[in-house]
């Protein structure tokens, strides 16, 4: 039997951990691989929650975050820290996911060592280098030299082909976030206690239609956040509506939301949720208001319409399929689009029943097979 190839999976944020733990499980269970993991700690508490529930114990933890750290300082620490891990592990392949600073720096550190880079969730493009910022450029950097591109959808694959990426290196796999959602939903069914922390809010808002909400994008800081807060305040004035809003830790989000929304009867500003509770929030919500990328993929898997509070999305498949709609950060538009879904049953059902274009829950196994078949050499 041939020697197992060492796969170093690099990640640092909560969304990366959610989208990579099913693949890490697949690699760990496969004798063809020696799976190693390195986390940067770009998110800390939120990252650790996912690692714990998923049973992933990293082999390396850089813990890079510092208060008020600039992007260039973070990039420098990531690049040197991840490079040192690669010098120690000498992996045959480095796997990165998505578009974070950790992913970009992990890919770049591997490239500097001539280690093949595998990009999970490749090919997402908004077409605007400032929206989302800096993620659009991060993923374009990775895409410029990755050895394998695992695109979640045909739309993402076509975006890569338009950039003259070798078609032989592009594979449509679906998105691993659907694998993760299926996994956690099954866990919650077996262990309901994993997601009982919302029971008090469910009881408090019994009989109301719950709007689940997230907001954290850098490009929305300032005027955008104020528009979002104004919209939520107006929506929450409806007696039949309640908003559950896990507020991101970033002070640019918290300061605005606490000033505008704290104390409103129909708004629950709560601490960020761990993964089981966030899956539960989607499940109990009528619809999701978000500027997140992952929620655009997750909510349709549970039949929940998504209103995306951004001007562009790198996930146009959801808009095309009818599972998501771009509404920007203008308060009037957010209120109008949300009201339409709340008051027009046909409009709601059209979004809720639309086919989720992002995957079938088997993406991680496809990726593992492709990694085994392709025979990438260090």
């Amino acid at each position: 039997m041939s020697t197992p190839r060492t796969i170093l999976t690099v990640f640092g944020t909560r969304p990366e951990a959610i989208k990579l733990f099913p693949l890490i499980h697949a690699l760990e269970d496969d004798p063809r691989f020696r799976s190693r993991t390195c986390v940067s700690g770009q998110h800390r508490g939120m990252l650790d929650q996912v690692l714990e529930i998923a049973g992933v114990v990293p082999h390396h933890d850089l813990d890079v975050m510092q208060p008020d750290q600039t992007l260039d300082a973070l990039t420098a620490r990531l690049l040197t820290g991840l490079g040192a891990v690669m010098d120690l592990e000498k992996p045959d392949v480095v796997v990165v996911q998505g578009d974070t600073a950790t992913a970009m720096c992990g890919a770049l550190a591997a490239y500097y060592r001539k280690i093949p880079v595998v990009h999970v969730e490749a090919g997402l493009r908004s077409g605007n280098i400032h929206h989302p910022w800096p993620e659009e450029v991060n993923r374009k950097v990775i895409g410029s030299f990755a050895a394998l591109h695992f695109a979640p959808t045909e739309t993402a694959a076509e975006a890569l082909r338009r950039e003259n990426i070798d078609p032989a290196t592009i594979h449509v796999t679906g998105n691993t976030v659907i694998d993760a959602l299926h996994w956690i939903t099954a866990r919650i069914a077996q262990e309901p206690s994993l997601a009982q922390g919302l029971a008090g809010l469910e009881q408090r808002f019994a009989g109301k239609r719950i709007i689940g909400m997230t907001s954290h994008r850098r490009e929305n800081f300032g005027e955008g956040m104020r528009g979002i807060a104004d919209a939520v305040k107006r929506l929450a004035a409806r007696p039949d509506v309640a908003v559950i809003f896990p507020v991101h830790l970033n002070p640019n989000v918290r300061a605005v939301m606490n000033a505008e929304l704290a104390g409103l009867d129909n708004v629950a500003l709560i601490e960020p949720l761990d993964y089981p509770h966030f899956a539960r929030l989607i499940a109990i919500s009528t619809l999701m208001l978000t500027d997140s990328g992952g929620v655009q993929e997750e909510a349709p898997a549970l039949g929940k319409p998504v209103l995306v509070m951004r001007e562009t999305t790198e996930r146009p498949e959801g808009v095309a399929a009818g599972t998501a709609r771009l509404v920007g950060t203008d308060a009037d538009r957010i209120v109008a689009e949300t009201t339409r879904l709340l008051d027009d049953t046909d409009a709601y059902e059209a979004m809720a029943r639309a086919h989720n274009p992002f995957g079938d829950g088997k993406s991680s196994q496809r990726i593992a097979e492709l990694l085994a078949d392709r025979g990438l050499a260090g």
Side-chain angles (χ1 to χ4, degrees), residues 166-358:
D166 180 359
T169 67
I170 302 168
H171 300 272
V172 178
T173 61
N175 199 306
T176 56
V177 74
I178 308 303
D179 305 24
L181 191 62
H182 287 185
W183 185 89
I184 196 61
T185 301
R187 279 289 304 274
I188 293 170
Q190 294 171 350
E191 302 176 53
S193 61
L194 290 173
Q196 285 184 340
L198 292 177
L201 287 177
E202 292 181 49
Q203 184 175 9
R204 171 182 163 188
F205 295 141
K208 297 181 184 293
R209 287 181 288 180
I210 292 172
I211 298 173
M213 183 169 167
T214 73
S215 185
H216 72 281
R217 296 232 69 85
R218 289 175 183 267
E219 63 266 29
N220 285 344
F221 290 173
E223 194 63 32
M225 284 291 162
R226 287 188 286 274
I228 291 169
D230 182 38
V232 172
K233 183 185 297 185
R234 288 158 60 182
L235 290 167
R238 290 179 56 132
D240 63 332
V241 164
V243 178
I244 299 180
F245 185 0
V247 185
H248 197 275
L249 297 174
N250 192 301
N252 291 290
V253 180
R254 292 209 154 193
V256 173
M257 298 307 170
N258 286 334
E260 297 296 325
L261 303 177
L264 296 181
D265 289 343
N266 286 355
V267 177
L269 300 179
I270 62 177
E271 291 301 306
L273 296 172
D274 63 18
Y275 187 41
H277 284 93
F278 191 72
R280 179 63 181 169
L281 175 60
I282 296 174
I284 65 174
S285 294
T286 297
L287 61 93
M288 295 296 296
L289 271 178
T290 188
D291 59 15
S292 163
V295 177
Q296 296 175 53
E297 301 154 346
E298 293 168 309
L302 298 182
K304 310 297 179 170
V306 184
L307 296 180
V308 184
M309 298 181 295
R310 288 161 59 177
E311 300 303 329
T312 61
T313 180
E314 65 283 16
R315 294 166 173 84
E317 303 91 335
V319 176
T323 61
R325 183 183 295 270
L326 287 171
V327 299
T329 59
D330 177 74
D332 289 341
R333 187 173 177 200
I334 294 171
V335 171
E337 295 286 359
T338 305
T339 300
R340 188 176 68 92
L341 291 180
L342 293 171
D343 294 344
D344 184 337
T345 301
D346 290 341
Y348 181 87
E349 290 298 332
M351 290 188 74
R353 292 178 179 173
H355 170 70
N356 182 9
F358 294 108

